[in-house]
Amino acid sequence: RVQNLLLAVAGLSVPVLLLAKPYFLSRSHASGHHDEEHHGEEEHGMGEIIIHQAIETIEFVLGMVSNTASYLRLWALSLAHSELATVFWEKAMLTTLKVNFFATFIGF
């Protein structure tokens, strides 16, 4: 249930990331308010702003997917390590302990 909610929030954040900055920049430009720190910069067209924001949104989504895949790989590696340790303990240690404790002690 919580996972579905988080997935829905992540899915709904993509349009917000994509459209919020161009929307607020167009409102700012339409009302005539400009930041003092941007006086020296040239005006960018709305199409250029939307394309730039689309690229940033794609980079963000790809980063989220990449990070999720990395955590899944770490989890799989941890699980494999745990299973390998269990198999090693059962096959190598327990079987030799049953045969001869002294030989096991010398061998390991």
Side-chain angles (χ1 to χ4, degrees):
R1 183 175 170 149
V2 173
Q3 293 171 346
N4 291 336
L5 176 66
L6 291 175
L7 186 62
V9 168
L12 292 174
S13 69
V14 173
V16 171
L17 287 170
L18 188 59
L19 301 173
K21 185 175 179 180
Y23 172 74
F24 286 115
L25 285 176
S26 69
R27 283 192 51 187
S28 166
H29 183 68
S31 66
H33 293 110
H34 299 288
D35 295 335
E36 287 87 24
E37 61 192 40
H38 296 295
H39 280 301
E41 296 180 8
E42 62 183 61
E43 290 289 326
H44 296 292
M46 198 59 181
E48 186 178 341
I49 292 171
I50 291 173
I51 289 172
H52 179 74
Q53 193 62 30
I55 291 170
E56 286 186 7
T57 303
I58 290 169
E59 287 177 354
F60 178 76
V61 170
L62 288 176
M64 284 192 335
V65 170
S66 176
N67 289 339
T68 302
S70 293
Y71 282 113
L72 287 174
R73 280 193 307 266
L74 287 173
W75 173 74
L77 181 65
S78 173
L79 182 63
H81 182 344
S82 173
E83 289 298 317
L84 184 62
T86 303
V87 168
F88 175 75
W89 176 254
E90 289 174 356
K91 299 297 182 188
M93 299 298 284
L94 291 181
T95 56
T96 56
L97 281 174
K98 293 176 185 174
V99 174
N100 186 351
F101 179 75
F102 184 72
T104 305
F105 180 74
I106 297 297
F108 290 106

